[in-house]
Each structure stands twice: as C-alpha cells, then as structure tokens.
Amino acid sequence: QPVRFHDTLHTLHTDGHTLYLETSPHPVLTTAIQETNTHATPTLRRDHGNTQQLLTSLATLWTHGLTPTWPT
C-alpha cells in the first residue's frame, strides 16, 4: 500500500498540528514536512543520535516559543 504522507500531514494540519519532530537517524522527511507549510525540526542525526541531540532540538523549539506537549 502506498504511504499517503502528504494527505496525512494535511489532515494533521487541519486539526491544528503545525510542529513536528523528526526522530529518525537520517532526517529525510524534514524537507517534505516543511513543504506542507508546517514546521519540522530534526532531532537525531546519524552518529549524533543521543539524548543530548534530542534535548538540544527541544531547547531550540523552546527558545522559539514553542511548547512541546509532554504527555503525548
């Protein structure tokens, strides 16, 4: 079955979700997410996918005024 990534992002955007954290070791979806007029922040990088990198990404979002929904 094909992955309907763009349709899924559109539905999420319609529901008010506009910020995404990409948590893959190679952030290939970040560009595709940003093309849908939403904001994507990659968290992990190949050979740098540790807790420090994740926390740095979350801190970047925080300093831009975005608050993660921690329970989810």
Side-chain angles (χ1 to χ4, degrees):
Q1 297 293 329
V3 175
R4 298 178 61 161
F5 189 69
H6 185 300
D7 294 341
T8 301
L9 285 175
H10 178 72
T11 300
L12 289 169
H13 187 73
T14 300
D15 289 344
H17 302 281
T18 58
L19 172 65
Y20 302 93
L21 288 170
E22 183 173 355
T23 55
S24 65
H26 189 65
V28 296
L29 297 176
T30 301
T31 301
I33 293 169
Q34 290 172 336
E35 288 175 353
T36 64
N37 203 25
T38 57
H39 182 77
T41 297
T43 55
L44 305 177
R45 300 267 192 236
R46 189 176 313 260
D47 299 324
H48 298 287
N50 58 22
T51 304
Q52 184 64 38
Q53 179 63 43
L54 177 62
L55 293 175
T56 299
S57 296
L58 290 171
T60 299
L61 296 175
W62 181 264
T63 59
H64 284 91
L66 302 167
T67 304
T69 307
W70 296 110
T72 56

